Amino acid sequence: MLAPKARWSIGHADEMLIETFVRELQIDPLVARLLVLRDIRTVPEAEQFMHGGVQYYHDPYLLDGMLPAVERIRKALQNNEFIRIYGDYDADGVSSTSLMHHLLTGLGARFDTYIPHRIREGYGLNRSAIDLAKEQGVDLLITVDTGISAVQEIAYCEELGIDVIVTDHHEPPEHLPQALSVINPKKPGCPYPFKHLAGVGVALKLAHALLDRLPEELLEFAALGTVADLMPLNGENRLIVKQGLQRMQDSAYAGFRSLIGVSGIERKEVTAGHIGFSLAPRINASGRLEAADIAVKLLTTSNETEAEQIAFELDMLNKERQLIVEEMVKEAFVLAEEQQAKGLDKVIVVAKEGWNVGVVGIVASKIVDKFYRPTLVLSIDPQTGIAKGSARSIAGFDLHKALTVCEEWLDHYGGHQAAAGMSLSKDHLEAFTQKLNELAAATLTEQDYIPLLKADAVCSLPDVPIASIEGLEKLAPFGMGNPAPRFMFTDLSLDDIRTMGKEKQHLKLALSQAKDEVSCSVEAVGFGKGSLAGLITQAAKVDVLGELSINEWNGVRKPQIVMQDLKITHMQLFDWRGAGQLSAKLNMLQNNLATSNAKNQVPGIVLFDETDVKAFAATAFQIGEAIPYWVVQDSGLLRPGNETASQLDFAHMKDIILYTIPRSLVSLQGVLQQALGMMRCYPVFAELGPDSGSTLPSREMFKMMYGTLQKEGSLNVQDARLMASFSKRSGLSPAMIQFILSVFEELAFIERQGAFVKLHASPAKKDLTASRIYQHRMNRQEVESVVMYSSAKELEQWIAQHIKQENHILEEII
């Protein structure tokens, strides 16, 4: 077995509607299914989704506040008033500011742009910036991607005689600022039909209204900010990003050309994924480590040389940011584990002096990826004691609502369900953390803390030829709200298992499957899943959940699966019999478990007899207390062999090493019956005890040995020459002699005195079968046929027949 990291959910679609789409739209059934699963219910909706153009944009004047905003900006243009665009320092804010820059430049406005410094000023409007605007003669302030919560700051603007137009998309507070105009599709009472525009999307609608046409030349900026801010790629956002990407592939802007170039992307192939993972991080790097003005300069300059220089600087900043994040993540993981150890395990809140406040959001995302808990990461200012941070959530926990409940401790907060920012005194952190954990405990169930992966359909490999995979591009661009199609493939055979990457951190599987006498093979790649290679056997049947793509190399195009998750639903056997290098194998197993989905998981070792313990302690394993081991007792029950084992329940162990050879099949069956949670079995079956060997001496041999002891009185078993001579005369091998003496000693026929053994004066009469060692040797042939001379497949089948596993082992996480 191999447990998945997430729960798998398979989409269910209306089959009649699928047939309608296939017939009316002449599309592949797989594409039709995906349209239905994206809640598209009619043929016109499907047409718009796949082929929508400018005619599907909504009237910008449906946004409440648009008319007075347009009138005020036109008045400012007419009177040559000084306009300031006030943005945010993230990629959405930079995109919004840059879009407005190009708009006002084209309108001939007298204006400039201002983005607050993340560390010195923090998020949103602030009094110092407002005072500066007044001093510099600003008549009209237009906020982009910010301002919806700036009630006091905007009131201060009005006092100073500065008109303010707010354009924002964040969740509105209970009391809105009293600006000249507030444009936000989420504003109560706003009739605009699409509520999920990014900040740059709202800025685009303002440009649309001012120009009396859709400004297609500005769609690249809108696409960049929409994807970067993780807005859902459906409705109007889908149109913005799809058309913006098309323009980006042959961009008229030096900044976009240079940014794409320094990111190593082929311009003709730029996708929403490239924006999210390559372009946006470089734009964000400026606001995180320096000032976001440099990114605005990149997106607004027409000088090719300047654009290339700025793009290079942003690339260097992004690399520096990655190193800072890497170090902070290590520290944050430790703090998160310490918090969970205290019982506050529902919401993670970590804070530390000296952390770079510009990257706390990224660190929060990394913690969510590892622990799957709502997470807040804060940097504490040692002078003021103020903790500033960012939060990232999981499905089912609304961060904005939670922060609203906790606002008594907060100086400032804002955001939405999935992400938020906040500041508070470090003295309030304990109470704040406690309250968030209480809210999560009341809101989330245990299942909510297991990630959910949704697949669109269950397929076999022959169901998805290259032509079908190509058809999926009709559904692009992919992102939030329109995820890349995912498919579940079951019962796949493994042809090869490899790792890739400098540190072998990625997994590559060669998979095959036959259906209706048609056999297909495909390569599957799992990024960051390299540690799972050691937990998969070549004989395993694998289930995979992932995205389909086409891998092109040297002109050859092949289908490929990019794995998000995988599982194996049957017990796996790793044949370690006679393999050698057991210490290295055990160390590798420990490392694989530590870096895989197996949280706090260690392998367990089984010794099948008390007589194995001493010899086991002297083996090359040298495990100490790190690895638990159990010893099979005469009753068949397992005795913990060390302190680690005494603190664990053998029934819950998932990786079990059968280290010594069982003395009977009944003993082996007894262990397997107790291994209720075993997913992977590692048989070694080493011979350590005194009864090693398979030949059972005859009763005549026992009599001969007994007679010799009667005649000699005693025997020096440590005299090598004497024992060799006796072996030659008797025809008994040295090992046979030692076995017979062990049986005699167990039955109390003899006693040992240093190097000598001699008969008891009056031994009790006992049958040889009363000796456990003798019984083990009697059973040896039967045991060997199963554990020594069977193939790996035969042994796996035998063990599978005798285990008594609880049915819910995987059901709990699937």
Side-chain angles (χ1 to χ4, degrees):
M1 289 183 181
L2 182 69
K5 72 174 184 181
R7 294 173 288 142
W8 293 11
S9 171
I10 311 301
H12 298 284
D14 184 333
E15 297 296 332
M16 291 183 64
L17 188 53
I18 292 172
E19 291 177 11
T20 300
F21 285 173
V22 170
R23 184 178 62 254
E24 297 291 330
L25 299 169
Q26 296 295 296
I27 56 176
D28 188 280
L30 191 58
V31 174
R33 177 176 295 277
L34 295 170
L35 287 170
V36 174
L37 288 170
R38 278 145 182 76
D39 203 30
I40 294 169
R41 314 309 300 169
T42 67
V43 170
E45 284 179 347
E47 285 276 14
Q48 177 183 342
F49 191 89
M50 292 190 293
H51 309 297
V54 295
Q55 69 273 27
Y56 291 107
Y57 284 92
H58 299 300
D59 182 349
Y61 286 100
L62 290 174
L63 280 161
D64 186 58
M66 183 62 77
L67 182 59
V70 168
E71 290 175 344
R72 180 64 185 88
I73 294 171
R74 285 177 175 164
K75 177 185 174 184
L77 294 172
Q78 183 179 350
N79 297 333
N80 199 32
E81 294 180 69
F82 187 28
I83 304 171
R84 175 160 291 172
I85 307 302
Y86 193 106
D88 185 25
Y89 38 65
D90 68 1
D92 188 11
V94 167
S95 303
S96 305
T97 304
S98 301
L99 184 150
M100 292 296 294
H101 179 283
H102 286 285
L103 172 69
L104 294 182
T105 298
L107 292 172
R110 188 165 67 93
F111 76 98
D112 69 1
T113 62
Y114 186 94
I115 294 181
H117 193 282
R118 182 190 290 261
I119 297 174
R120 293 196 294 268
E121 297 177 80
Y123 174 80
L125 282 168
N126 64 82
R127 286 204 167 213
S128 296
I130 295 168
D131 288 336
L132 181 63
K134 180 63 177 177
E135 180 184 321
Q136 294 177 339
V138 172
D139 300 298
L140 174 62
L141 192 70
I142 304 174
T143 73
V144 287
D145 191 36
T146 189
I148 194 67
S149 298
V151 175
Q152 295 178 354
E153 291 80 6
I154 290 174
Y156 184 57
C157 286
E158 294 298 317
E159 287 178 23
L160 298 180
I162 301 174
D163 286 341
V164 180
I165 295 171
V166 172
T167 71
D168 201 352
H169 73 123
H170 294 98
E171 294 293 335
E174 185 178 352
H175 300 291
L176 294 175
Q178 296 301 303
L180 183 145
S181 172
V182 176
I183 305 173
N184 185 331
K186 295 177 182 176
K187 190 171 71 171
C190 178
Y192 198 75
F194 186 69
K195 302 296 183 181
H196 304 293
L197 290 170
V200 71
V202 180
L204 179 73
K205 301 310 294 187
L206 178 58
H208 189 170
L210 277 166
L211 297 173
D212 288 322
R213 63 174 176 83
L214 177 71
E216 296 183 55
E217 68 277 13
L218 301 178
L219 284 171
E220 289 167 67
F221 303 95
L224 174 62
T226 299
V227 174
D229 219 42
L230 302 179
M231 292 296 103
L233 299 190
N234 50 37
E236 209 162 26
N237 284 342
R238 175 175 172 77
L239 298 174
I240 289 170
V241 175
K242 187 172 183 178
Q243 294 171 350
L245 285 170
Q246 290 169 354
R247 298 186 69 89
M248 210 177 288
Q249 290 170 0
D250 191 22
S251 180
Y253 299 100
F256 274 108
R257 293 194 298 271
S258 297
L259 187 62
I260 292 168
V262 82
S263 301
I265 302 166
E266 289 289 336
R267 268 200 286 156
K268 295 298 182 184
E269 297 176 3
V270 64
T271 65
H274 289 134
I275 291 178
F277 294 103
S278 294
L279 306 187
R282 288 170 170 82
I283 293 292
N284 277 322
S286 62
R288 295 186 191 283
L289 302 187
E290 298 288 344
D293 305 81
I294 185 176
V296 173
K297 185 66 174 173
L298 171 70
L299 297 182
T300 55
T301 183
S302 58
N303 185 301
E304 201 77 37
T305 303
E306 183 180 39
E308 289 176 359
Q309 179 59 39
I310 296 174
F312 176 78
E313 289 178 30
L314 291 180
D315 189 49
M316 291 298 101
L317 279 175
N318 190 51
K319 289 173 181 175
E320 181 184 345
R321 186 270 307 167
Q322 290 171 332
L323 293 175
I324 293 170
V325 167
E326 187 177 338
E327 189 60 35
M328 282 178 58
V329 164
K330 291 177 184 176
E331 296 174 353
F333 280 176
V334 172
L335 293 176
E337 288 167 354
E338 289 175 356
Q339 180 194 311
Q340 290 193 318
K342 296 176 183 177
L344 295 171
D345 60 348
K346 307 299 183 187
V347 177
I348 294 172
V349 181
V350 292
K352 187 177 178 180
E353 289 186 3
W355 274 351
N356 188 308
V357 72
V359 299
V360 289
I362 299 174
V363 176
S365 295
K366 300 282 187 183
I367 296 176
V368 172
D369 288 343
K370 180 175 174 65
F371 296 93
Y372 202 69
R373 296 289 189 274
T375 299
L376 291 79
V377 178
L378 302 106
S379 175
I380 302 172
D381 186 316
Q383 274 75 46
T384 65
I386 296 298
K388 292 182 180 180
S390 289
R392 299 293 183 268
S393 194
I394 63 175
F397 190 75
D398 191 317
L399 274 175
H400 190 267
K401 285 184 179 178
L403 293 177
T404 301
V405 174
C406 299
E407 63 183 349
E408 64 180 286
W409 295 297
L410 300 174
D411 297 333
H412 177 272
Y413 72 95
H416 44 79
Q417 181 274 326
M422 74 297 298
S423 64
L424 70 159
S425 168
K426 68 177 182 179
D427 297 333
H428 295 152
L429 279 173
E430 186 175 344
F432 179 54
T433 302
Q434 183 69 42
K435 184 62 177 179
L436 286 174
N437 273 269
E438 290 173 5
L439 291 171
T443 305
L444 299 171
T445 67
E446 284 304 312
Q447 278 228 323
D448 289 326
Y449 292 111
I450 303 172
L452 179 65
L453 276 176
K454 295 183 178 181
D456 294 284
V458 180
C459 298
S460 63
L461 294 183
D463 290 337
V464 284
I466 285 181
S468 293
I469 300 173
E470 290 173 333
L472 299 178
E473 283 303 311
K474 294 178 181 177
L475 305 175
F478 301 118
M480 295 294 291
N482 182 37
R486 289 175 179 160
F487 304 96
M488 178 178 168
F489 299 89
T490 61
D491 202 35
L492 302 177
S493 298
L494 267 167
D495 299 327
D496 192 22
I497 307 169
R498 295 184 187 179
T499 54
M500 305 184 303
K502 194 177 292 185
E503 299 176 5
K504 300 183 177 181
Q505 68 271 39
H506 308 306
L507 179 66
K508 187 175 186 179
L509 304 179
L511 303 169
S512 61
Q513 188 175 43
K515 179 183 179 183
D516 298 331
E517 299 183 358
V518 175
S519 180
C520 290
S521 60
V522 68
E523 285 186 343
V525 177
F527 295 105
K529 301 182 186 299
S531 61
L532 297 180
L535 303 178
I536 302 172
T537 61
Q538 194 79 49
K541 290 289 188 177
V542 183
D543 295 349
V544 168
L545 189 150
E547 299 172 10
L548 288 166
S549 63
I550 297 173
N551 184 27
E552 188 165 347
W553 179 254
N554 286 338
V556 179
R557 306 175 81 237
K558 293 182 179 180
Q560 178 179 266
I561 301 173
V562 179
M563 295 183 289
Q564 268 76 50
D565 206 0
L566 69 157
K567 66 185 178 186
I568 297 168
T569 57
H570 61 85
M571 192 278 298
Q572 294 185 87
L573 183 134
F574 296 77
D575 195 352
W576 286 7
R577 295 175 295 176
Q581 298 183 317
L582 291 174
S583 292
K585 285 182 176 293
L586 183 60
N587 288 335
M588 187 175 294
L589 174 58
Q590 287 178 271
N591 291 335
N592 289 336
L593 292 174
T595 54
S596 69
N597 301 334
K599 190 180 284 187
N600 301 323
Q601 195 170 308
V602 294
I605 295 173
V606 174
L607 307 179
F608 278 92
D609 196 81
E610 293 286 353
T611 58
D612 294 334
V613 176
K614 185 176 180 181
F616 173 68
T619 63
F621 264 57
Q622 298 294 315
I623 63 167
E625 292 293 325
I627 305 295
Y629 74 90
W630 286 264
V631 183
V632 180
Q633 302 177 92
D634 289 343
S635 65
L637 297 177
L638 290 159
R639 172 183 70 79
N642 58 5
E643 181 62 27
T644 305
S646 67
Q647 296 175 6
L648 297 170
D649 185 348
F650 181 78
H652 293 160
M653 299 301 294
K654 294 178 173 59
D655 293 82
I656 296 176
I657 300 167
L658 303 175
Y659 187 63
T660 59
I661 192 163
R663 277 25 177 207
S664 69
L665 291 183
V666 171
S667 175
L668 176 57
Q669 290 169 6
V671 169
L672 297 177
Q673 290 287 305
Q674 296 173 70
L676 297 178
M678 183 171 68
M679 292 184 172
R680 293 167 290 274
C681 181
Y682 307 81
V684 177
F685 296 140
E687 300 188 77
L688 301 181
D691 55 331
S692 298
S694 58
T695 304
L696 182 67
S698 65
R699 288 184 175 267
E700 285 68 26
M701 292 176 179
F702 279 96
K703 288 178 181 178
M704 180 176 65
M705 190 73 205
Y706 194 85
T708 299
L709 288 170
Q710 281 182 319
K711 182 179 178 181
E712 299 291 336
S714 65
L715 194 63
N716 186 347
V717 294
Q718 293 183 10
D719 186 328
R721 286 198 306 171
L722 175 65
M723 293 305 294
S725 174
F726 177 68
S727 175
K728 187 174 182 180
R729 284 186 286 109
S730 66
L732 299 175
S733 68
M736 193 74 79
I737 293 170
Q738 290 298 331
F739 174 74
I740 292 172
L741 291 175
S742 296
V743 173
F744 284 169
E745 185 176 15
E746 184 184 3
L747 295 175
F749 290 172
I750 63 172
E751 60 182 350
R752 293 183 185 266
Q753 295 179 348
F756 291 87
V757 296
K758 68 175 185 177
L759 291 174
H760 274 292
S762 54
K765 190 173 182 180
K766 296 178 184 176
D767 191 87
L768 290 175
T769 56
S771 163
R772 183 180 59 183
I773 297 173
Y774 185 85
Q775 289 177 2
H776 291 168
R777 186 63 66 88
M778 285 179 64
N779 296 326
R780 180 60 182 238
Q781 190 171 7
E782 183 184 30
V783 170
E784 284 186 350
S785 68
V786 172
V787 305
M788 302 291 281
Y789 304 132
S790 59
S791 67
K793 186 176 181 63
E794 290 169 339
L795 180 59
E796 182 176 3
Q797 290 174 341
W798 191 93
I799 290 175
Q801 290 171 358
H802 291 88
I803 56 178
K804 182 184 177 182
Q805 291 184 316
E806 297 180 351
N807 293 329
H808 63 266
I809 289 176
L810 286 181
E811 287 178 3
E812 294 176 353
I813 46 179
I814 297 177

